[in-house]
């Protein structure tokens, strides 16, 4: 009888000890003996641009929350390459993270075209409700088979046409102008629909393209138009707000798979937590850039009636495959 009680007591003690060990292991594993990790993030914009500052906030949060164990080095100003080449390197795990426009990413994962159609969102708020809701999550998941992990979104502002030749106040004014677009088939289609000549080109080549006359114009938001000095060589700006092309932070699936589950979750959370800061900086920079361009005396044409622009781009919607048509419908239903 006594011996049986002793055996039971020992078993209970052993079970308790092994549970305590397991719990301790769970909590201690990521922090205690894991080695320091240094990862790289590629950014196309200069060091003081809102997306770059958002990337740095993300990196700081990761550093702080891992007590310095994981460092993410942010490389601004296309130091690691132009967006398309960087996305390829992220796919191979040669670069760990990048913040890019969804436009070149859609060349790798075409379902992302659904996020960059012209006049898709009713407002900035509508876009954010899409990105942070179920559709945004599904799109993150759709990146994985191609070797990417979606971790965050940043504010892109609305894009507008600009050129060095003339005032553009209706779509037909664009006829024959050579307009640079991002490296995206959809953007080529959009500009062709407007009757202009679409020239896909990396962002970093646009300034010299405008200066040498290889292209007549391009399209972008206020901060990009200003920070690249495109406004100095293409002085006619048309506020038509044709697209909002979300900015996204992606990680390499190869790089992420080398980290513990807990670290992967921490990184994803840090990217989401950097969003409000970037949005705040964006709002400020958008105003500052507009003020600088206006002060420079550029010709700004405000489009109040967007109907002819929307009509010219309708064909693009009709051309989309059913998977995208389905998403467009769901995006329209988001409040
Ligand atoms: C800017 C995006 C940047 C793109 C660029 C472009 O922030 O990621 O590379 O447009 O037009 O607005 O290529």
């Amino acid at each position: 009888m006594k011996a049986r009680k002793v055996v039971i007591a020992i078993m209970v003690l052993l079970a308790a000890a092994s549970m305590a060990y397991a719990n301790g292991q769970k909590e201690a594993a990521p922090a205690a003996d894991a080695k320091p990790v240094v990862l790289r993030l590629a950014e196309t914009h200069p060091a003081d641009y809102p997306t770059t500052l958002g990337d740095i906030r993300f990196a700081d949060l990761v550093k702080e929350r891992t007590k310095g164990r994981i460092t993410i080095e942010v490389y601004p100003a296309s130091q690691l390459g132009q967006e398309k080449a960087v996305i390829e390197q992220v796919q191979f795990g040669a670069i760990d993270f990048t913040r890019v426009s969804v436009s070149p990413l859609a060349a790798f994962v075409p379902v992302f075209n659904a996020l960059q159609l012209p006049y898709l969102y009713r407002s900035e708020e509508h876009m954010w409700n899409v990105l942070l809701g179920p559709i945004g999550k599904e799109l993150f998941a759709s990146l994985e088979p191609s070797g990417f992990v979606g971790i965050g979104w940043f504010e892109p502002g609305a894009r507008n046409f600009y050129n060095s030749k003339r005032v553009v106040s209706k779509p037909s004014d664009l006829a024959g102008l050579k307009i640079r677009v991002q490296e995206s088939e959809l953007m080529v289609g959009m500009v062709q629909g407007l009757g202009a000549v679409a020239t896909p080109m990396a962002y970093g080549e646009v300034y010299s393209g405008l200066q040498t006359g290889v292209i007549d114009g391009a399209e972008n938001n206020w901060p990009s138009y200003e920070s690249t000095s495109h406004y100095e060589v293409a002085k006619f700006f048309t506020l038509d707000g044709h697209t909002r092309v979300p900015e996204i932070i992606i990680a390499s699936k190869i790089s992420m798979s080398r980290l513990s589950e807990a670290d992967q979750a921490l990184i994803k959370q840090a990217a989401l937590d950097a969003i409000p800061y970037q949005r705040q900086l964006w709002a400020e920079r958008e105003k500052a850039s507009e003020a600088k361009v206006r002060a420079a005396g550029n010709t700004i044409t405000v489009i109040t009636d967007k109907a002819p622009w929307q009509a010219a781009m309708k064909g693009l919607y009709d051309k989309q495959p059913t998977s995208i048509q389905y998403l467009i419908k769901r995006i329209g239903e988001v409040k």
Side-chain angles (χ1 to χ4, degrees):
M1 201 58 177
K2 254 196 177 161
R4 226 180 125 207
K5 267 191 188 156
V6 170
V7 169
I8 290 171
I10 290 173
M11 280 171 68
V12 168
L13 277 173
L14 279 177
S18 91
M19 268 169 71
Y21 178 70
N23 283 340
Q25 280 277 311
K26 213 170 163 192
E27 274 157 27
D33 45 53
K35 288 200 200 85
V37 181
V38 178
L39 302 165
R40 299 189 306 163
L41 183 151
E43 167 63 67
T44 203
H45 290 298
D48 67 345
Y49 196 88
T51 54
T52 315
L53 297 169
D55 304 334
I56 294 171
R57 170 59 63 99
F58 158 57
D60 285 349
L61 289 174
V62 170
K63 192 163 205 165
E64 192 183 300
R65 292 174 186 177
T66 60
K67 304 199 169 49
R69 186 171 46 81
I70 302 184
T71 305
I72 299 175
E73 293 174 343
V74 174
Y75 290 84
S78 301
Q79 282 174 54
L80 302 184
Q82 298 287 320
E83 291 189 347
K84 191 171 160 216
V86 163
I87 296 171
E88 275 163 13
Q89 295 206 58
V90 168
Q91 203 169 31
F92 302 137
I95 296 177
D96 308 297
F97 300 95
T98 186
R99 191 293 312 160
V100 285
S101 166
V102 148
S103 201
L105 185 61
F108 295 77
V109 187
V111 72
F112 273 77
N113 277 323
L115 291 183
Q116 59 161 350
L117 281 151
Y119 300 114
L120 175 69
Y121 307 107
R122 295 184 302 274
S123 62
E124 183 182 319
E125 199 199 344
H126 178 210
M127 181 197 73
W128 277 103
N129 290 342
V130 171
L131 299 180
L132 299 178
I135 297 177
K137 292 199 180 74
E138 284 166 37
L139 286 166
F140 274 179
S142 72
L143 288 168
E144 305 238 352
S146 304
F148 308 110
V149 182
I151 62 171
W153 305 102
F154 281 159
E155 172 58 45
R159 295 175 78 103
N160 307 284
F161 286 102
Y162 51 88
N163 79 93
S164 61
K165 300 285 182 214
R166 55 180 180 248
V167 169
V168 168
S169 53
K170 49 186 186 312
S172 58
D173 294 332
L174 282 168
L177 289 182
K178 281 177 275 159
I179 302 291
R180 176 268 174 173
V181 289
Q182 291 174 282
E183 290 166 287
S184 146
E185 256 179 64
L186 191 131
M187 289 299 152
V188 169
M190 179 185 77
V191 162
Q192 286 173 343
L194 290 164
V197 181
T199 310
M201 187 184 274
Y203 188 51
E205 289 161 21
V206 181
Y207 183 86
S208 64
L210 288 167
Q211 209 180 25
T212 56
V214 168
I215 48 173
D216 302 314
E219 45 82 61
N220 223 312
N221 49 47
W222 281 115
S224 286
Y225 180 53
E226 174 265 310
S227 68
T228 51
S229 298
H230 293 175
Y231 76 101
E232 290 171 8
V233 282
K235 294 185 190 276
F236 299 98
F237 191 82
T238 301
L239 256 177
D240 64 290
H242 52 273
T243 49
R244 293 179 184 273
V245 183
E247 312 283 18
I248 187 170
I249 308 181
I250 53 171
S252 165
K253 206 169 168 194
I254 296 176
S255 309
M256 284 291 257
S257 66
R258 293 195 187 110
L259 303 172
S260 70
E261 296 264 322
D263 283 345
Q264 292 182 33
L266 185 148
I267 285 173
K268 289 180 182 171
Q269 191 57 47
L272 294 177
D273 291 345
I275 296 174
Y277 176 70
Q278 188 273 347
R279 290 183 68 183
Q280 171 64 36
L281 293 181
W282 183 267
E284 291 162 16
R285 179 63 181 257
E286 207 169 39
K287 285 202 191 81
S289 295
E290 177 175 354
K292 192 166 167 187
V293 170
R294 286 190 186 273
N298 285 28
T299 306
I300 318 288
T301 307
V302 182
I303 305 298
T304 42
D305 179 14
K306 306 237 167 113
W309 296 80
Q310 278 170 294
M313 296 177 190
K314 170 139 192 324
L316 203 57
Y317 277 75
D318 300 339
K319 270 195 232 145
Q320 296 309 308
T322 28
S323 52
I324 297 206
Q325 300 281 2
Y326 168 68
L327 272 173
I328 295 170
K329 184 169 172 285
R330 284 179 58 208
I331 289 173
E333 286 159 9
V334 173
K335 294 274 170 288

